[in-house]
Amino acid sequence: MCIFCKIVAGEIPSKKAYEDDKVLAFYDINPLAPIHILVIPKEHIRSAAGINETNEALAGHMIAAAAKIANELGISDYRLISNIGPTAGQTVEHFHIHLIGGVDMSKRML
Ligand code: AMP
Ligand code: ZN
């Protein structure tokens, strides 16, 4: 089982930000900004590249969850980032969207 599947199963602890039947969101262990949360599908999908016409609703559900979390945290401005593949920076092979905010990122894209 991958590390994020273990978090879904409760075998590895996490600080939860949101949960429903399809997705889990938890605080990143190594935050890159004051707010850094990971939104993941409970089902194991390797990356956003594993999204196709049979499961595309799940990706929309993840973005909706991110919007809900941001709203609850009172932030209107934030970034959603998903790394696909090692040279793009993906270190965990379980689809996740980074929700990053709480800092002015307007002067830099990366
Ligand atoms: P990426 O590099 O895009 O694959 O993102 C993986 C993210 O998972 C990194 O930002 C890590 O800090 C984070 N991470 C790894 N293990 C854990 C964990 N056990 N709990 C929370 N976040 C984690
Ligand atoms: Zn997994």
Side-chain angles (χ1 to χ4, degrees), residues 11 17 19 31 34 36-37 39 46 50 74 80 86-87 89 91 99 102 107-108:
E11 291 174 19
E19 182 172 17
H36 188 170
I37 290 166
V39 182
R46 280 179 60 170
L80 299 181
T87 66
T91 59
L99 189 174
K107 301 291 187 291
R108 58 190 165 99

Side-chain angles (χ1 to χ4, degrees), residues 31-102:
L32 302 177
I35 293 170
H36 188 170
I37 290 166
L38 302 172
V39 182
I40 73 168
K42 287 189 166 176
E43 169 194 349
H44 183 85
I45 296 171
R46 280 179 60 170
S47 75
I51 294 294
N52 56 51
E53 45 288 328
T54 69
N55 60 7
E56 64 190 9
L58 184 56
H61 192 77
M62 289 166 69
I63 293 175
K68 201 178 289 186
I69 294 161
N71 193 45
E72 277 169 10
L73 294 175
I75 55 166
S76 58
D77 299 9
Y78 54 93
R79 282 194 180 152
L80 299 181
I81 298 168
S82 193
N83 298 322
I84 298 153
T87 66
Q90 185 176 11
T91 59
V92 178
E93 276 206 353
H94 181 128
F95 181 23
H96 51 282
I97 297 176
H98 297 258
L99 189 174
I100 294 172

